[in-house]
Every structure is written in C-alpha cells, then in structure tokens.
Amino acid sequence: MREEQTGIDTPTHTLATSIAFADETANHGVARGVIVMFAGSGPIDRNENLPRFSLDIFNELASQFSDAGYASVRYDKRGCGASGGDYITAGHSDLVSDAAVVTRFTHQHEQFKHLPIFLLGHSEGSVIAAQVAKRLGNEVNIKGMLLLCPFTRPMREVLLQQAHNRTEELNAMTGFSGALSRAFVNLRGGYHGIQQKFLKRIDQSTTDTVNVGKATLNAKWYREMLAMNPTAIWQSVAVPTFALGGGKDLQCDPEDTLTLATLITHAPVECYVEENLTHILRCDDEPPAMGRYPKLIEQPIDPLVGERCCAWLNRQ
C-alpha cells in the first residue's frame, strides 16, 4: 500500500492525515473511488489507536481497500496523534466540522476530484458520516456510506445499556477475582448506579470539561451526544448505505444495525449482523466480554469486514 502523509488545515488547527492510494495492479491501475474514514469515540488516532491500546482498524481497512482498487483518507482527531487542537474541550459538533473539512479536502484533491467519495464510520463515526453526507451533499460527490457498528438509540440509553452489559460480564466472573471485583463495584453503587451518577453530573455541567475522580472528561461532547436525535439523523440519509453490526458488540447493540433498514427510506440500504463480530471488529467464539479485548487485539481485524465492504462498494 502506497501512502502519503499530509496535513489538512481547519480554521483552528491542522489534522495529521494519511492518504492511501489504490494499488496500481488493481482495476487496471484506475482507482474505483476514495473512502474517507471517521473514527469511533475517544481520543484515538487515524488507526483507531490509543496510546496503550492499539486497535489498528483503519490502517488494516485502508490496506484492504487499496488491494481492491480504492483509495482512502484517514486522520488523527484534533488533539490526538500528530494533529493540533484540543480534544478534551471538543464537542461532537466540532468533530463533525473536522470531518467535513477532511471530506472537502478529499473532494478537491487533484487525484480524487473526479472519483466517487464514500464515507466510512465506525461507532460514533457512523453518525458523523451521516451528518457530513447531509451537510456536503450538494457540493461533494458522495456516493454512499459504510457504517460499522452503528447505533440508532439515544445516547443515554446506549450508555445505560453498556452499564448493564458490564454488570452481566462482572456477574459472570468466577473465583476470588470475580468476587473481589463485584464487591468493589457494588461498594460504588454498581455499574448502573455509577453511570446514573455520572449522567447527572454531565446534565448539571456547563463547562467544556468536568473532573471525575482523577480524570478530566469532555463534558461538552457528552452533553451534545446526549442531546442528539439519532433517529432524525438516520431518517435524513439520502445516499446508498451499507451497515455491518456485530452479534457480540457490547457497546452498540447489533439490533441497531438492523433498525437502520426501517429508518433510512430515501436511499437503498443493506444491513447485516455478523454473529461473532465484536465492537473492535474481531470475531470471538467465546461469550462476549470487553475483558477479552486485550487478547483479541493480538489478532488483526477479521477479514470479513473489509471483504463485505469491498463487495458492497463494487456493486455501487
């Protein structure tokens, strides 16, 4: 995969960006299209990596897309990786604005300006993709969206469901370590109580950030996500859409992927749920558990993700 590193200027900062070009041996050396990638939530870089937790999702997808004849663009979020700006004070709306700037840059790029553009979003990135498609639909040649582990429920419901999933995972732990972990969490009110207390703190906040224990969290982002109406966003989609959910996704309910088929009515939509796929795009034969993530990321993402995406792209 041939790549070029560049910076994309926004009004306040520069986004460090990787451009992956289509393999010259694919499709007779002519790129089929270009894919702009939007990452999931958290302070993660262009490959969806954290400083001590490397998912290596977007770089692996970029390689698969290149082999199939598609170029791609991926970037570090503001304040993450090599990008300028401040992540911790950014809201969801700021991330959408950055995504729109990157999409315009891709549309104007000398090698891409005549190519169809596809937007790919993972988790939060999926709803970012939908908002960018609506915002730029009249000025950019957006031909479709690829959504990985999307959500359709209000964020408050998503966060409380995550607390429920963590509780079930905790209750399934055995032995002394399981008993000790349950005792510790229950002393703090249980995962559901902890989440409710946190949401109340966010609801009462007015500043960009809040301190919770020793951590500083982006309160503006949480407030904007909690105020978001995902249903209205999905109902506004007017471009062909492919959605892939994970049957073992503990962060975005796989049923939400199927729900998209009822919400997106102004364009063709294909929705699939892969039975053993997790939120981090690895398949797992074991019962779903976020505690297995460190083990799962020792392996590359499941090739079926790129294969399903490329098959859909080739049909467009």
Side-chain angles (χ1 to χ4, degrees), residues 16-64:
T17 302
S18 292
I19 300 172
F21 296 94
D23 191 305
E24 294 180 359
T25 64
N27 197 38
H28 307 289
V30 179
R32 301 174 184 267
V34 57
I35 300 158
V36 186
M37 303 185 187
F38 307 130
S41 58
I44 52 183
D45 67 12
R46 73 195 79 182
N47 298 324
E48 296 208 289
N49 292 338
L50 290 158
R52 292 183 294 276
F53 197 79
S54 296
L55 293 176
D56 284 327
I57 290 176
F58 281 178
N59 48 333
E60 292 187 26
L61 284 176
S63 180
Q64 286 185 271

Side-chain angles (χ1 to χ4, degrees), residues 24-313:
E24 294 180 359
T25 64
N27 197 38
H28 307 289
V30 179
R32 301 174 184 267
V34 57
I35 300 158
V36 186
M37 303 185 187
F38 307 130
S41 58
I44 52 183
D45 67 12
R46 73 195 79 182
N47 298 324
E48 296 208 289
N49 292 338
L50 290 158
R52 292 183 294 276
F53 197 79
S54 296
L55 293 176
D56 284 327
I57 290 176
F58 281 178
N59 48 333
E60 292 187 26
L61 284 176
S63 180
Q64 286 185 271
F65 291 143
S66 176
D67 291 344
Y70 294 91
S72 61
V73 176
R74 63 192 196 278
Y75 61 97
D76 295 339
K77 288 185 184 181
R78 62 167 71 189
C80 303
S83 286
D86 186 15
Y87 170 78
I88 199 65
T89 60
H92 175 77
S93 58
D94 299 313
L95 302 181
V96 173
S97 294
D98 286 351
V101 169
V102 174
T103 304
R104 285 194 186 95
F105 166 89
T106 303
H107 173 67
Q108 295 165 359
H109 192 281
E110 183 64 27
Q111 297 192 46
F112 302 147
K113 59 185 179 182
H114 300 301
L115 293 179
I117 292 176
F118 298 92
L119 307 180
L120 181 150
H122 179 210
S123 193
E124 182 193 359
S126 64
V127 77
I128 289 176
Q131 291 171 90
V132 170
K134 181 180 180 181
R135 183 181 298 190
L136 302 184
N138 294 327
E139 61 176 285
V140 173
N141 186 27
I142 298 173
K143 290 299 185 181
M145 297 192 303
L146 301 119
L147 311 176
L148 306 177
C149 305
F151 65 92
T152 62
R153 307 175 193 209
M155 182 51 59
R156 192 176 302 270
E157 184 177 337
V158 171
L159 293 174
L160 291 174
Q161 181 63 46
Q162 289 177 1
H164 172 77
N165 292 341
R166 293 185 70 187
T167 300
E168 290 203 333
E169 184 176 340
L170 181 69
N171 290 338
M173 294 176 64
T174 59
F176 177 74
S177 62
L180 186 63
S181 297
R182 284 189 291 275
F184 176 74
V185 172
N186 290 335
L187 278 174
R188 300 173 61 206
Y191 283 129
H192 191 271
I194 294 169
Q195 194 73 291
Q196 289 278 31
K197 189 180 299 184
F198 171 72
L199 289 170
K200 182 177 180 180
R201 179 77 182 278
I202 292 297
D203 289 338
Q204 294 174 343
S205 69
T206 56
T207 54
D208 288 344
T209 64
V210 293
N211 293 321
V212 178
K214 296 181 179 180
T216 301
L217 302 179
N218 43 351
K220 178 182 177 182
W221 180 86
Y222 276 104
R223 287 196 302 272
E224 290 184 354
M225 292 295 287
L226 290 168
M228 177 193 297
N229 182 348
T231 295
I233 291 172
W234 295 122
Q235 289 175 336
S236 73
V237 170
V239 297
T241 299
F242 168 82
L244 178 63
K248 292 185 177 178
D249 189 339
L250 295 175
Q251 291 160 266
C252 294
D253 196 304
E255 286 297 321
D256 286 22
T257 298
L258 302 177
T259 299
L260 285 176
T262 66
L263 297 179
I264 299 175
T265 59
H266 302 301
V269 57
E270 296 182 27
C271 303
Y272 303 93
V273 172
E274 185 64 30
E275 181 180 2
N276 286 330
L277 193 68
T278 65
H279 192 75
I280 59 173
L281 304 184
R282 275 81 168 172
C283 282
D284 191 2
D285 294 331
E286 300 293 330
M290 292 178 65
R292 287 182 49 76
Y293 282 6
K295 184 67 175 179
L296 291 175
I297 63 173
E298 294 177 2
Q299 304 297 323
I301 65 171
D302 198 291
L304 70 85
V305 177
E307 290 167 3
R308 290 277 187 92
C309 289
C310 289
W312 181 83
L313 286 166

